[in-house]
């Protein structure tokens, strides 16, 4: 739980923030991040991530794009109901229906923000919007004014802002502020900016826009050229006071600026970036791991801050230096990002209270039914695996806790494997409440299992893009962590599951991906034009 909270959250006053070294942290993991291929999350997963973001001290949580689907609307609304401190933002195009949907979805929040955007670059205005610059200015004024009818915290974004001409950007920003925008975001939508250009754009806006002091400038950078974090910091050095970022840097294409990298750069190089924020950095590892286990996106081992090797020292020279004084090769401590040694946390004899307490420490506050289900599976796991680590619990809860809420539920699997074929699978699933069984053959036990799923829930247009297995912890009794990536009509989803039995984990991961595909089918493809 965050203990920092240097600054009061909720009411964000441009006049106070602009004159200070405070930087507002706006997390868009649940919107820009969730929008990226394979990263869709269901309601429970979004709520769990939102609670962690709130605990870690994020100022604004962009909870989704309410007009995109009924599911998006409901999750923004539920996040708005449950989050305690952070401001909840809902994204919308410059369209009345989008703004109304956002306003309704965020209505239950203690602190609410409407975030509306429209493109401003010549390329986007001409080819994507097919609107004249004057019409875009009118749309900005109308959309921001409409949003202000619902809340006094309105953010306006100039999509493709980094490729917008200075004169027009100044007019657009001035118009948005006149209409009542209190935050002005200049996204580097396509990850094209360089730190020098992007920084200069903020300095230019501060110098030229007459009402600029009435709003907070914000950075929003994509990582297509690997410069999202550098660009974000350049924006801040030039007067921006809000950073939009995501956990693990997930997001469209190459992703967004990674929250953990921005925050640790500010903390570690405070001599160069003398800014303050509310983030409790010791929650970074938990946020990163939880997101990975939810989405099935494991971060690359050498990823800054949260990669498995980020604090590993392999070479003899480095190890020798570390033993003498860890400052020789470590610019930040593992503890500062909440990284602790894998601990043996629970065993075969642990009871309900111990499990509930541990799960709660890990950020899982489960309802009674879900908890009973997890407890049963924890006992099964403890019977089959001597030592249970935090990672085991995270996998157990993340991958399986929702089984009871999903359309397709795993019931049982028996596999015939080995050198004497044919390999067979007997699989029982519950589909929309009805139990069904299939017995199938295949080229190996995994193929036989996936054929059984296909037979029970036909999905001929879906292709399997990835099947990957790795061990959650060490030892031959470690749980297998299986990731399955599926694709249908260009939409991809990822399912992940862990089990001491690789075949069970495989079936569950595949089923989980299928369930996510059902959520994805609901979402309309949003036309980004107004
Ligand atoms: O990258 C972008 O331009 C965006 C906007 C919708 C804010 O995500
Ligand atoms: Zn974006």
């Amino acid at each position: 739980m965050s203990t920092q909270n240097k600054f009061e959250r909720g009411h964000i006053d441009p006049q106070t923030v602009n004159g200070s070294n405070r930087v507002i942290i706006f997390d868009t993991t649940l919107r820009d991040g969730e929008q990226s291929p394979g990263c869709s999350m269901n309601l429970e997963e979004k709520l769990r991530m939102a609670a962690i973001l709130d605990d870690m001290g994020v100022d604004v949580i962009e909870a989704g794009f309410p007009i995109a689907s009924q599911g998006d609307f409901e999750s923004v609304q539920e996040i708005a109901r449950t989050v305690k401190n952070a401001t909840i933002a809902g994204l919308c195009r410059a369209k009345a229906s989008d703004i109304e949907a956002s306003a309704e979805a965020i209505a239950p929040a203690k602190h609410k923000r409407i975030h509306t955007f429209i493109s401003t670059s010549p390329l986007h205005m001409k080819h994507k919007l097919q609107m004249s610059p004057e019409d875009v200015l009118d749309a900005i004024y109308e959309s921001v004014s409409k949003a202000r009818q619902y809340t006094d915290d309105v953010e306006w974004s100039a999509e493709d802002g980094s490729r917008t001409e200075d004169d027009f950007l100044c007019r657009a920003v001035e118009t948005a502020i006149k209409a009542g925008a209190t935050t002005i975001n200049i996204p580097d939508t396509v990850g094209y900016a360089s730190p020098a250009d992007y920084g200069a754009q903020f300095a230019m806006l501060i110098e030229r826009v007459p009402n600029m002091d009435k709003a907070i400038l914000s950075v929003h950078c994509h990582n297509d050229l690997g410069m999202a974090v550098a660009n974000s910091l350049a924006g801040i050095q030039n007067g921006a006071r809000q950073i939009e970022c995501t956990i693990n840097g997930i997001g469209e294409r190459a992703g967004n600026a990674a929250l953990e990298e921005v925050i640790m750069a500010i903390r570690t190089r405070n001599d160069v970036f003398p800014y303050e924020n509310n983030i409790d950095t010791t929650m970074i590892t938990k946020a990163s791991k939880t997101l990975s286990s939810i989405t099935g996106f494991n971060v690359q081992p050498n990823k800054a801050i949260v990669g498995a090797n980020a604090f590993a020292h392999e070479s003899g020279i480095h190890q020798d230096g570390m033993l003498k004084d860890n400052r020789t090769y470590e610019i930040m401590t593992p503890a500062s990002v909440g990284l602790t040694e894998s601990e043996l946390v629970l065993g075969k004899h642990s009871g309900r209270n111990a499990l509930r307490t541990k799960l709660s420490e890990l950020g899982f506050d489960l309802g009674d039914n879900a908890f009973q289900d997890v407890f049963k599976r924890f006992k099964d796991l403890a019977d089959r695996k001597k030592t249970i680590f935090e990672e085991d619990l995270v996998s157990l809860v993340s991958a399986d806790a929702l089984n009871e809420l999903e359309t397709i539920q795993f019931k049982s699997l028996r596999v015939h494997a080995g050198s004497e074929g044919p390999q067979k699978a007997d699989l029982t699933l519950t589909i929309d409440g009805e139990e069904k069984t299939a017995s199938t053959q295949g080229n190996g036990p995994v193929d036989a299992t996936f054929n059984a799923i296909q037979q029970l829930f036909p999905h001929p247009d879906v292709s399997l893009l990835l099947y990957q297995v790795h061990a959650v912890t060490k030892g031959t009794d470690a749980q297998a962590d299986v990731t399955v990536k599926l694709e249908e009509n260009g939409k991809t989803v990822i399912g992940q599951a862990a089990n001491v039995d690789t075949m069970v984990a495989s079936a569950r991961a595949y089923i989980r991906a299928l369930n996510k595909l059902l959520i994805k089918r609901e979402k309309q493809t949003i036309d980004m034009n107004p």
Side-chain angles (χ1 to χ4, degrees), residues 383-442:
D383 277 343
R384 302 168 78 182
K385 187 171 188 297
K386 274 200 298 283
T387 46
I388 296 194
F389 297 94
E390 278 187 3
E391 286 91 329
D392 288 315
L393 291 182
V394 171
S395 303
L396 193 72
V397 178
S398 310
D400 296 339
L402 285 166
N403 193 28
E404 69 187 58
L405 302 176
E406 294 183 324
T407 310
I408 313 170
Q409 296 170 16
F410 174 89
K411 280 282 152 195
S412 67
L413 174 69
R414 177 169 293 280
V415 170
H416 309 263
S419 58
E420 306 302 317
Q423 286 84 20
K424 291 191 262 179
D426 302 324
L427 176 71
T428 302
L429 303 179
T430 304
I431 300 172
D432 274 331
E434 192 189 333
E435 202 163 291
K436 295 183 175 175
T437 300
S439 298
T440 47
Q441 296 187 1

Side-chain angles (χ1 to χ4, degrees), residues 31-32 91 115 117 157 159-160 185 187 189 220 222:
R31 199 278 300 169
D32 218 341
L91 184 70
H115 177 192
F117 71 97
S157 283
E159 193 188 3
D160 206 19
N185 183 36
T189 303
H220 176 113
H222 283 268

Side-chain angles (χ1 to χ4, degrees), residues 139-441:
I140 294 169
Y141 194 85
E142 265 178 42
S143 55
V144 173
S145 312
K146 176 152 180 82
R148 276 297 302 246
Q149 293 170 6
Y150 302 98
T151 170
D152 58 8
D153 186 341
V154 172
E155 171 168 339
W156 174 75
S157 283
E159 193 188 3
D160 206 19
S162 61
R163 293 193 297 172
T164 299
E165 289 161 342
D166 285 357
D167 288 353
F168 185 67
L169 189 61
C170 288
R171 289 179 68 200
V173 168
E174 189 180 348
T175 304
I177 298 173
K178 266 195 194 136
T182 46
T183 298
I184 298 290
N185 183 36
I186 311 294
D188 181 26
T189 303
V190 290
Y192 180 76
S194 74
D197 308 336
Y198 195 58
Q201 213 174 13
F202 287 89
M204 181 279 296
L205 288 170
I206 290 171
E207 195 182 309
R208 291 185 49 186
V209 175
N211 50 2
M212 198 62 252
D213 60 315
K214 301 202 168 51
I216 295 167
L217 274 167
S218 165
V219 296
H220 176 113
C221 298
H222 283 268
N223 207 27
D224 300 66
L225 293 173
M227 293 192 282
V229 170
N231 286 338
S232 302
L233 293 169
I236 296 301
Q237 285 179 305
N238 283 281
R241 282 293 175 271
Q242 172 175 286
I243 303 181
E244 302 199 354
C245 47
T246 60
I247 301 293
N248 294 346
I250 66 167
E252 288 277 10
R253 304 179 310 279
N256 288 60
L259 179 146
E260 62 277 6
E261 294 179 24
V262 168
I263 294 296
M264 290 312 286
I266 291 175
R267 180 183 156 135
T268 310
R269 293 305 311 273
N270 208 254
D271 55 330
V272 185
F273 309 114
Y275 312 111
E276 306 279 341
N277 58 76
N278 271 331
I279 300 295
D280 175 355
T281 61
T282 65
M283 290 194 63
I284 284 176
T285 299
K286 174 174 168 180
S288 165
K289 285 191 173 174
T290 305
L291 184 67
S292 290
S293 75
I294 286 175
T295 58
F297 261 53
N298 293 319
V299 296
Q300 73 204 54
N302 59 334
K303 157 97 174 61
I305 319 296
V306 291
N309 293 349
F311 293 91
H313 302 277
E314 185 97 2
S315 86
I317 296 176
H318 287 206
Q319 285 180 352
D320 181 55
M322 284 292 292
L323 289 173
K324 289 176 175 141
D325 185 332
N326 59 1
R327 287 172 305 174
T328 51
Y329 288 103
E330 224 165 55
I331 58 167
M332 31 188 176
T333 63
S336 67
V337 298
L339 190 67
T340 47
E341 283 289 301
S342 271
E343 278 175 75
L344 168 63
V345 286
L346 293 173
K348 201 175 155 117
H349 303 292
S350 308
R352 282 185 170 72
N353 270 349
L355 180 65
R356 204 185 259 291
T357 308
K358 190 69 213 175
L359 288 176
S360 175
E361 275 170 35
L362 290 170
F364 300 103
D365 290 310
L366 304 179
D368 281 347
N369 288 349
F371 176 75
Q372 292 310 339
D373 187 39
V374 170
F375 184 69
K376 185 177 168 304
R377 280 181 287 108
F378 161 72
K379 283 290 183 188
D380 291 346
L381 183 65
D383 277 343
R384 302 168 78 182
K385 187 171 188 297
K386 274 200 298 283
T387 46
I388 296 194
F389 297 94
E390 278 187 3
E391 286 91 329
D392 288 315
L393 291 182
V394 171
S395 303
L396 193 72
V397 178
S398 310
D400 296 339
L402 285 166
N403 193 28
E404 69 187 58
L405 302 176
E406 294 183 324
T407 310
I408 313 170
Q409 296 170 16
F410 174 89
K411 280 282 152 195
S412 67
L413 174 69
R414 177 169 293 280
V415 170
H416 309 263
S419 58
E420 306 302 317
Q423 286 84 20
K424 291 191 262 179
D426 302 324
L427 176 71
T428 302
L429 303 179
T430 304
I431 300 172
D432 274 331
E434 192 189 333
E435 202 163 291
K436 295 183 175 175
T437 300
S439 298
T440 47
Q441 296 187 1

Side-chain angles (χ1 to χ4, degrees), residues 511-522:
I511 291 164
R512 195 156 164 69
L514 271 184
N515 279 310
K516 290 206 166 190
L517 206 57
L518 300 184
I519 301 175
K520 199 105 180 185
R521 277 181 186 166
E522 253 185 56

